[in-house]
Amino acid sequence: MGYLLPKLLYVCLYGVLGSAIPYLSLFYSGSLHLTSQQIGVILAIAPFIQSVACPFWTMQVDKSPRWHGRLMAILMIVGGLSIIGLMFIPVFLPNDKTSVTLFITIALAVSFAFFGQPVTVLVDSAVLKILGDYKIYYGDQRLWGSISNGVCILLVGYFIGIYGINCAFYIFGISVIGFVTIALGTRVPGDSLITDSERDPLLRNNTPRKGHYNYSPGAADNNNDMDTHNEYLTDDIRRLSSTTSSHANTLLMDNEHSLLNLQRTITSTAARDVHDEANLLLDQMDSLPPLGLALSHIPTVDTSLAAFAGIGTSGGENGVGGYPEESLKHTIFSSPKVWTFLLMTLFFGVHYSMVAQFLFLFLKQDLELDPSVIGWTGPIGGVTEVSTFYVSRLLLKNLNVSTLVTISHVAIILRNFAYQVLVPNAPTTMACALLLQLVNGFSYAMIWSTCVSEVDQMFPVHQRAIAQGILASLFSGLGFGIGCIVGGYAYDHYGINMLFNVSIGVAFLSLTLFWAGRMFRQSA
């Protein structure tokens, strides 16, 4: 099995994220006796802090590649202890100390959000750098994380049903130990010969790049340049279709050795590289691609946020990537199609997270399902999500963006209506609740893959990395955070049906904004 270390990193990482984390809402409610509104505030902490913590820690490992593995281990230890500390709150604090319990829980949640949650992007960064010129294999490695996450959620739910909620923390602790062990043995390639004084000139003076294919976005009208580029592109596609590698096609020009070594230590550049290489291959395919290639084309939310780590370093005073910041603002605000699309992404994150973050509470408290049944949502949702990512490129070729965005919204709306008619303890309730999880995985994967593709079409080459970061911060950062708070308030004060109805209302608002931007563009 090739590239064993990246696979082990993902298996152990999602062993951590798939154990105690999904079941924390049940722990907050059942063991800490917190209200749904309080739980919503706590769950909102991670999305809000994520948008800051991911770029911050990414910047640290990009500057010091030798510390990459050790920093992952340190952050996981601190974050892991924060989660395990939650287990001891009901042991040392009586139930009537609600304010103290809430304060300590929030403090531990903040600690995990800042130290533990960003480990995800550091693992993505480490894997991309370990793969080097073979980053096209990134999706094959990430697939093991999806498998691990689904299996862990299922197994932890089964053990919670037998031994109680604390069992999730024990499995979490074992997973943390396994990850720390692997992380300490991880060595990330880095060029120690490149100093900080050499880093900025290389980035500022170099022309924009799309992966390892050296070309200028403004040279589209230059036939000779395009012919040269297409020649390398054709050779690369022929080679990648059989070996999935672009190693032999790397172009070396003046300072290129130093620049490529520098690129391998910059997470956002490496992530953009693999996205572009996969995009070039997928454009040549009319049938379904290999699963790993399809996953390589779609960046994770955390990796997209890493683009913010380059602000103020790669562009210096000139803005992002050496281009004026005003150009990014102009791209966004000069076109209603762009800013309404970004607003749609924000509101989709709100109405999606309102239900997703409280799903386990709904299944346990309102539908009275056993945790061993709830655990099946992990593999069901995971398989659907990966399958949708797999066919997303083909769907984008055969259906337009408007259709896919509408389908994603309508699927969530119909799912919310379906949840409201489920009856606790009815013979079909368990089967229907699990089948509806298929919609959850489909809608998330469909909207994210569509948004990633559409943002690439809306923004010029030199703005795409930061645009993907903005997309991720609106969707998973601000959107998820607001959704947790609004969902918790609605659930606590008006009941679960109100939560579903508010989610439906936000979904209609999101879809209306999207179509308004499209219709305005057509009328203009």
Side-chain angles (χ1 to χ4, degrees), residues 82-105:
S82 301
I83 296 298
I84 293 175
L86 293 170
M87 183 176 63
F88 296 98
I89 292 179
V91 176
F92 295 103
L93 290 177
N95 293 335
D96 58 347
K97 298 289 184 179
T98 305
S99 59
V100 178
T101 298
L102 180 61
F103 176 80
I104 295 176
T105 303

Side-chain angles (χ1 to χ4, degrees), residues 16 44 52 86 97 154 165 204 209 217-218 278 296 299 317 322 382 414 429 440 462 497:
V16 173
V52 176
L86 293 170
K97 298 289 184 179
L154 174 61
I165 191 67
R204 284 197 298 268
R209 294 174 184 273
S296 293
E317 67 278 6
L414 294 178
T429 294
N440 192 66
H462 65 275
N497 284 343

Side-chain angles (χ1 to χ4, degrees), residues 259-513:
L259 182 63
L260 288 180
N261 285 327
L262 174 61
Q263 287 178 322
R264 295 185 185 110
T265 67
I266 301 176
T267 301
S268 59
T269 303
R272 192 70 212 175
D273 193 3
V274 68
H275 172 76
D276 289 339
E277 289 188 29
N279 192 40
L280 291 171
L281 284 179
L282 292 170
D283 280 341
Q284 306 301 313
M285 296 182 180
D286 295 323
S287 58
L288 289 174
L291 178 57
L293 180 61
L295 294 179
S296 293
H297 175 254
I298 303 170
T300 64
V301 171
D302 297 315
T303 305
S304 297
L305 290 171
F308 292 128
I311 297 179
T313 57
S314 60
E317 67 278 6
N318 294 325
V320 180
Y323 290 83
E325 293 181 359
E326 289 75 10
S327 63
L328 182 63
K329 296 176 183 177
H330 181 268
T331 303
I332 295 174
F333 295 109
S334 64
S335 171
K337 177 185 176 183
V338 176
W339 62 260
T340 54
F341 183 84
L342 293 177
L343 279 179
M344 178 276 294
T345 305
L346 168 65
F347 285 114
F348 191 96
V350 172
H351 75 75
Y352 174 85
S353 63
M354 286 179 65
V355 177
Q357 299 291 70
F358 290 94
L359 179 62
F360 281 18
L361 269 182
F362 164 66
L363 296 178
K364 180 70 166 60
Q365 295 182 353
D366 296 273
L367 296 187
E368 301 177 7
L369 296 181
D370 189 81
S372 60
V373 176
I374 296 175
W376 279 99
T377 60
I380 291 174
V383 169
T384 310
E385 184 178 314
V386 171
S387 301
T388 305
F389 281 141
Y390 179 48
V391 300
S392 62
R393 185 72 175 191
L394 194 60
L395 291 175
L396 281 166
K397 284 186 176 182
N398 292 279
L399 299 173
N400 58 40
V401 171
S402 299
T403 301
L404 295 176
V405 169
T406 302
I407 290 174
S408 300
H409 281 79
V410 172
I412 291 292
I413 292 170
L414 294 178
R415 183 205 62 176
N416 288 354
F417 279 126
Y419 275 142
Q420 295 186 61
V421 301
L422 295 180
V423 179
N425 298 317
T428 59
T429 294
M430 181 182 72
C432 290
L434 293 179
L435 285 175
L436 287 173
Q437 186 64 12
L438 295 172
V439 180
N440 192 66
F442 165 79
S443 59
Y444 173 85
M446 192 71 266
I447 198 69
W448 179 247
S449 58
T450 302
C451 287
V452 167
S453 176
E454 183 68 355
V455 163
D456 272 357
Q457 300 299 317
M458 289 178 167
F459 289 82
V461 173
H462 65 275
Q463 294 177 358
R464 287 176 184 169
I466 198 68
Q468 296 290 353
I470 293 172
L471 179 73
S473 63
L474 288 174
F475 178 65
S476 182
L478 189 59
F480 271 41
I482 295 174
C484 289
I485 295 174
V486 174
Y489 181 85
Y491 195 0
D492 189 32
H493 291 273
Y494 303 102
I496 189 63
N497 284 343
M498 177 59 71
L499 184 150
F500 289 133
N501 289 330
V502 173
S503 175
I504 291 171
V506 177
F508 275 117
L509 173 61
S510 174
L511 193 56
T512 301
L513 278 170

Side-chain angles (χ1 to χ4, degrees), residues 109-131:
V110 169
S111 176
F112 176 76
F114 188 75
F115 296 103
Q117 191 71 34
V119 174
T120 305
V121 69
L122 298 191
V123 170
D124 284 337
S125 174
V127 170
L128 287 168
K129 294 171 184 177
I130 290 171
L131 294 176

Side-chain angles (χ1 to χ4, degrees), residues 41 43-53 476-483 485:
V41 172
L43 294 178
I45 291 173
F48 285 142
I49 293 181
Q50 179 186 33
S51 297
V52 176
S476 182
L478 189 59
F480 271 41
I482 295 174
I485 295 174

